[in-house]
């Protein structure tokens, strides 16, 4: 079979968004963010209060893709080997053999990632950055594609371990999952009254519409999306402004700048253009940069947020024409 064209790949990803909506009401921005992450080979951190369908969103994404998926419920007693795998002694051969952990998959759902201690959180660092896992000095490649979709609750602090900056920086996007509007919540209740079962997505009509071939074609097309020197400079100016903000003790690193350029590029292609505009950069600035910034304590006490700092910067950094 011939490889899908860029247009058919884009159509498949648009259909993917439609299939997810059969299970998840609203959350269009989060769905778009997950698609952008797939195109950029990046990872996503989903943050929202309990009960806003964070896990369901990732499960619905998995149901629309012809990809292997696994879920890990992160708990305080989870060990690094429970994620990466370990060497197991085989009595029959009298040798040690490697038993792969759940990280050896295409789409890993890391549920409530901040409930596990730092040593287990750190077990994902190499996997997320290098796409490999090292056990007993031997590096083992992870499948391609590989994406971590992690969830965390912003309101529970007892028994949680905040992610360190080094790990947060590994996530391409941080997507905030808001509470639904009244109309959306009524729609959720109506679906449940009509028999919708979130544990049975097939019964809800969610079908597979894209696979590795479509993702490869889409990524190749995104790589050809042009970026002018002026737009690249605009991205740099935004990130440098975060490092100079009096409200922040830590601004966006060069990795943050390359991430913003990548996500803006993917968004430009998804909207049907083969070039990036400043508006594309603005559209992805919040989810790409918010988790890479650290507020000063005095600014936090005054009610300043990372989002408000980024919004202010976007309003003041000159836009190229």
């Amino acid at each position: 079979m011939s490889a899908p064209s860029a247009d058919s790949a884009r159509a498949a990803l648009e259909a993917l968004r439609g299939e997810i909506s059969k299970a998840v009401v609203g959350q269009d921005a989060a769905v778009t963010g997950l698609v952008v992450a797939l195109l950029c080979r990046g990872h996503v951190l989903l943050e929202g209060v309990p009960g806003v369908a964070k896990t369901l969103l990732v499960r619905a994404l998995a149901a629309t893709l012809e990809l292997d998926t696994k879920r890990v419920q992160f708990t305080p007693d989870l060990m690094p080997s429970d994620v990466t795998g370990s060497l197991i002694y085989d009595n029959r051969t009298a040798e040690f053999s490697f038993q792969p952990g759940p990280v050896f998959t295409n789409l890993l759902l890391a549920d409530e990632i901040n409930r596990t201690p730092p040593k287990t959180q750190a077990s994902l660092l190499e996997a997320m950055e290098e796409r490999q896992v090292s056990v007993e000095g031997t590096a083992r490649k992870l499948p391609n594609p590989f994406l971590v979709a992690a969830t965390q609750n912003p309101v529970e602090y007892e028994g949680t371990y905040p992610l360190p900056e080094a790990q947060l920086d590994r996530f391409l996007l941080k997507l905030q999952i808001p509470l639904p509007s009244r109309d959306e919540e009524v729609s959720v209740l109506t679906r449940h009254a009509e028999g919708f079962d979130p544990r049975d997505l097939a019964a809800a009509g969610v079908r597979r519409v894209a696979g590795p071939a479509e993702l490869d074609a889409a990524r190749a097309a995104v790589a050809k999306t042009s970026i002018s020197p002026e737009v690249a400079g605009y991205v740099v100016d935004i990130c440098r402004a975060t490092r100079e903000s009096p409200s922040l003790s830590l601004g966006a690193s060069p990795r943050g700048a390359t991430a913003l350029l990548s996500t803006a590029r993917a968004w430009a292609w998804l909207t049907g253009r083969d070039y990036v505009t400043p508006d594309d950069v603005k559209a992805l600035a919040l989810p790409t940069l918010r988790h890479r910034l650290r507020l000063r304590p005095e600014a936090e006490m005054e009610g300043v947020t990372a989002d408000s700092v980024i919004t202010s910067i976007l309003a003041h950094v000159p836009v190229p024409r």
Side-chain angles (χ1 to χ4, degrees):
M1 296 179 62
S2 59
S5 66
D7 289 339
S8 63
R10 185 187 290 113
L13 293 177
E14 286 295 331
L16 179 150
R17 297 165 72 181
E19 291 298 312
I20 292 176
S21 68
K22 295 178 180 178
V24 180
V25 176
Q27 310 298 0
D28 292 338
V31 173
T32 299
L34 286 168
V35 174
V36 167
L38 282 169
L39 292 175
C40 298
R41 295 180 173 86
H43 310 289
V44 178
L45 180 62
L46 301 169
E47 184 178 86
V49 298
V52 290
K54 300 186 296 296
T55 302
L56 179 61
L57 180 60
V58 179
R59 288 180 52 241
L61 173 69
T64 64
L65 294 168
E66 295 174 4
L67 300 175
D68 182 47
T69 62
K70 289 186 175 70
R71 173 181 176 176
V72 177
Q73 186 67 44
F74 279 72
T75 56
D77 60 348
L78 194 73
M79 299 298 291
S81 59
D82 295 329
V83 178
T84 61
S86 58
L87 293 177
I88 304 296
Y89 183 73
D90 190 338
N91 287 321
R92 294 172 299 177
T93 62
E95 293 180 349
F96 285 93
S97 61
F98 179 68
Q99 182 65 37
V103 75
F104 285 85
T105 186
N106 296 123
L107 175 58
L108 176 68
L109 170 55
D111 216 0
E112 296 187 292
I113 191 173
N114 59 334
R115 284 197 175 279
T116 200
K119 66 177 180 180
T120 305
Q121 293 176 5
S123 67
L124 282 176
L125 286 177
E126 182 185 15
M128 294 171 68
E129 186 67 18
E130 307 295 336
R131 264 55 175 190
Q132 67 179 26
V133 168
S134 295
V135 177
E136 297 295 329
T138 301
R140 294 173 171 85
K141 290 291 184 182
L142 293 172
N144 182 42
F146 172 68
L147 180 144
V148 174
T151 70
Q152 68 175 14
N153 299 326
V155 295
E156 297 181 78
Y157 296 106
E158 289 189 17
T160 61
Y161 306 84
L163 297 177
E165 279 71 22
Q167 181 142 5
L168 284 171
D169 206 35
R170 262 44 173 210
F171 286 98
L172 180 73
L173 299 170
K174 180 181 178 181
L175 304 176
Q176 294 179 336
I177 312 298
L179 288 166
S181 66
R182 183 182 186 279
D183 289 343
E184 289 172 342
E185 197 163 358
V186 169
S187 179
V188 170
L189 267 61
T190 301
R191 289 188 181 191
H192 279 265
E194 294 173 349
F196 171 71
D197 184 358
R199 292 171 291 274
D200 189 0
L201 296 179
V206 179
R207 59 191 177 89
R208 297 189 174 189
V209 295
E214 285 78 15
L215 282 178
D216 287 343
R219 288 168 172 174
V222 169
K224 297 177 182 176
T225 303
S226 63
I227 303 163
S228 69
E230 291 77 16
V231 171
Y234 181 55
V235 171
V236 169
D237 290 342
I238 291 171
C239 291
R240 292 181 68 86
T242 65
R243 301 169 205 161
E244 299 167 0
S245 171
S247 299
L248 301 176
S249 60
L250 179 68
S253 67
R255 179 189 284 154
T258 58
L260 181 54
L261 196 60
S262 296
T263 56
R265 206 178 198 183
W267 174 242
W269 179 80
L270 276 175
T271 53
R273 281 178 283 102
D274 60 358
Y275 59 92
V276 180
T277 69
D279 286 340
D280 298 323
V281 176
K282 288 182 177 181
L284 273 297
L286 286 175
T288 307
L289 298 180
R290 59 164 60 109
H291 56 297
R292 306 173 193 271
L293 312 180
R294 182 195 290 172
L295 290 165
R296 294 187 184 277
E298 57 270 26
E300 202 165 3
M301 290 177 63
E302 293 173 359
V304 177
T305 64
D307 282 15
S308 65
V309 171
I310 297 170
T311 301
S312 175
I313 288 172
L314 291 176
H316 289 92
V317 172
V319 180
R321 298 185 178 277

